[in-house]
Amino acid sequence: MKNLLVFLLFNVLCLSVQGATLEFAFQLGEKQQPRLDELLPDVARQMAFSKHSTKLLTKGMGGAVVEWDIQSLQKREIDNIHAKRWFSYATGTHQLLVRKADDNITVLSVGSGDETQLTHGQYESGSLSTDGTLAVLSKGDNAVEVWQLTQQRKSGGSAQKLKTVLTDFPVRNGLTLSDDGQLIATAEGSYRDGEGHRTVIEIWNTTDAAPIQVLNTGEILGIWNLLFSPDATMVAVDTQKNAQSGIRVWEVGTGKQRLAKSGFEAYWTRALAFSPTSDYLASGDEAGNLRVWDISEGESVIWETYPTGIQALAFSPNDEYLAVALWDATIQILHWRKNHER
């Protein structure tokens, strides 16, 4: 009952702490009774705003990819995609990198439905640059494939594999490209007797044969999220150790740790999202805790608790909204504002 009252108050009040504010704007989707044994099919597993912040793309736990119109609050299901796996979304070109049911790896144009096939295989992770010209893929082994895509008017496009990057450990926990396509980050998992589970983050230039940074996260079980900041100066992950979660942020160039928090009550921090200006990081966990972290200060400036878990987060490119996907199958759209006098 206490959490419910907090949730209701959050919908009418504005949170303002140390110059940053979140205010409820509107809700997408109909509220359903959350399940703890298995998340509902309509719970958004992944989310991304379009380039002009007018659309929100979501991938549900059941596989359906939906495009929401932020002005009309209407949605459309993207044809023939609910049987595919969404790897990544290119904001600049409105394209999805997906794995089809037949294991074809395809770049799909959300607007036209045109497809460009990269390759075939049971790839576990992938990422697409914002301009849709580069893609990276991994089967969960010690290799990352780098692909180049070109746009052609009549055929829809073509793809060519540029090279294969060999990693120290299997790429089990995450793979991502920076927005500009210049950097690759891999989250690699290992297990050794006496050491337990460990996750290592390797950062590569797409043109180099060796990593420019190797970040040892220590003895953690694994991660849900691996992402570059929009300006590609930082990389962030969530952590899990001793049944408690946390988050970490490093500088790409120096390897310096900018943010290190642990001991959260939730088992997993399932959602992370950088603000468009790269100065804040939002986190959401299984206990319903939404926190916004000021990276320069190393502390949270907003902390609110929802009555159910948070599965995904997304900032809009225009820096106006933060979308919060809950286990009750709703998406809460919040107005996001900052005091620039810092």
Side-chain angles (χ1 to χ4, degrees):
M1 178 61 70
K2 179 181 178 181
N3 282 340
L4 180 59
L5 290 174
V6 169
F7 177 71
L8 293 174
L9 286 172
F10 182 66
N11 281 269
V12 296
L13 296 179
C14 177
L15 287 171
S16 180
V17 184
Q18 299 180 23
T21 64
L22 281 175
E23 184 178 13
F24 176 79
F26 52 88
Q27 175 181 298
L28 300 176
E30 298 295 328
K31 184 176 180 180
Q32 303 176 36
Q33 183 62 39
R35 292 178 55 181
L36 299 180
D37 57 335
E38 182 180 5
L39 293 185
L40 297 164
D42 292 335
V43 173
R45 182 172 184 170
Q46 293 173 278
M47 294 193 299
F49 279 93
S50 63
K51 179 180 180 179
H52 300 295
S53 305
T54 58
K55 311 285 185 182
L56 179 68
L57 272 73
T58 69
K59 176 185 178 294
M61 294 298 297
V65 176
V66 170
E67 183 184 68
W68 289 91
D69 186 289
I70 297 303
Q71 277 77 40
S72 67
L73 307 188
Q74 299 299 307
K75 68 176 182 179
R76 73 177 181 98
E77 183 173 324
I78 299 173
D79 293 339
N80 303 318
I81 198 169
H82 54 274
K84 306 173 185 178
R85 179 175 177 180
W86 171 6
F87 284 121
S88 180
Y89 172 66
T91 307
T93 55
H94 205 34
Q95 294 174 309
L96 293 173
L97 177 67
V98 297
R99 190 180 92 187
K100 294 185 177 182
D102 59 6
D103 290 334
N104 282 334
I105 307 300
T106 299
V107 175
L108 172 68
S109 173
V110 176
S112 67
D114 292 339
E115 297 187 4
T116 300
Q117 183 176 330
L118 271 67
T119 185
H120 178 86
Q122 294 185 358
Y123 291 86
E124 294 184 4
S125 55
S127 187
L128 193 61
S129 63
T130 297
D131 63 5
T133 60
L134 279 179
V136 288
L137 297 168
S138 177
K139 295 181 178 179
D141 53 10
N142 293 58
V144 174
E145 298 177 10
V146 182
W147 289 78
Q148 185 177 50
L149 293 89
T150 58
Q151 300 297 318
Q152 299 174 0
R153 288 186 178 181
K154 293 183 179 180
S155 62
S158 61
Q160 176 186 6
K161 185 165 75 170
L162 297 179
K163 64 178 181 178
T164 299
V165 172
L166 300 180
T167 60
D168 282 344
F169 301 102
V171 184
R172 294 173 176 167
N173 295 322
L175 172 65
T176 190
L177 270 172
S178 58
D179 285 353
D180 59 10
Q182 299 299 308
L183 298 173
I184 305 169
T186 60
E188 305 162 23
S190 68
Y191 179 83
R192 294 177 180 174
D193 291 340
E195 294 184 3
H197 294 272
R198 290 184 179 272
T199 299
V200 173
I201 311 299
E202 289 189 339
I203 301 175
W204 307 69
N205 277 317
T206 52
T207 56
D208 292 348
I212 61 173
Q213 284 289 346
V214 178
L215 306 169
N216 190 343
T217 66
E219 187 182 351
I220 64 173
L221 180 60
I223 66 173
W224 279 76
N225 305 274
L226 170 68
L227 64 158
F228 282 106
S229 58
D231 62 6
T233 62
M234 294 173 286
V235 65
V237 300
D238 61 284
T239 64
Q240 207 288 333
K241 183 177 179 181
N242 298 329
Q244 293 179 316
S245 61
I247 55 174
R248 297 188 191 182
V249 177
W250 295 271
E251 289 182 356
V252 170
T254 65
K256 177 183 176 182
Q257 195 162 249
R258 296 287 303 276
L259 189 63
K261 301 295 179 180
S262 59
F264 298 170
E265 61 177 291
Y267 193 85
W268 289 112
T269 294
R270 296 204 178 195
L272 289 180
F274 276 104
S275 66
T277 51
S278 302
D279 47 359
Y280 290 91
L281 180 74
S283 66
D285 62 35
E286 294 179 339
N289 294 303
L290 171 64
R291 300 181 74 163
V292 179
W293 304 84
D294 185 323
I295 297 173
S296 64
E297 297 294 331
E299 297 296 336
S300 61
V301 295
I302 290 175
W303 186 353
E304 183 59 32
T305 301
Y306 286 92
T308 188
I310 298 171
Q311 189 67 20
L313 294 169
F315 279 99
S316 61
N318 65 0
D319 215 14
E320 182 178 353
Y321 296 117
L322 173 62
V324 183
L326 301 178
W327 286 2
D328 64 8
T330 67
I331 300 171
Q332 305 299 312
I333 306 296
L334 312 177
H335 280 298
W336 160 247
R337 297 184 180 90
K338 297 176 295 180
N339 182 351
H340 294 286
E341 297 178 3
R342 301 183 60 190

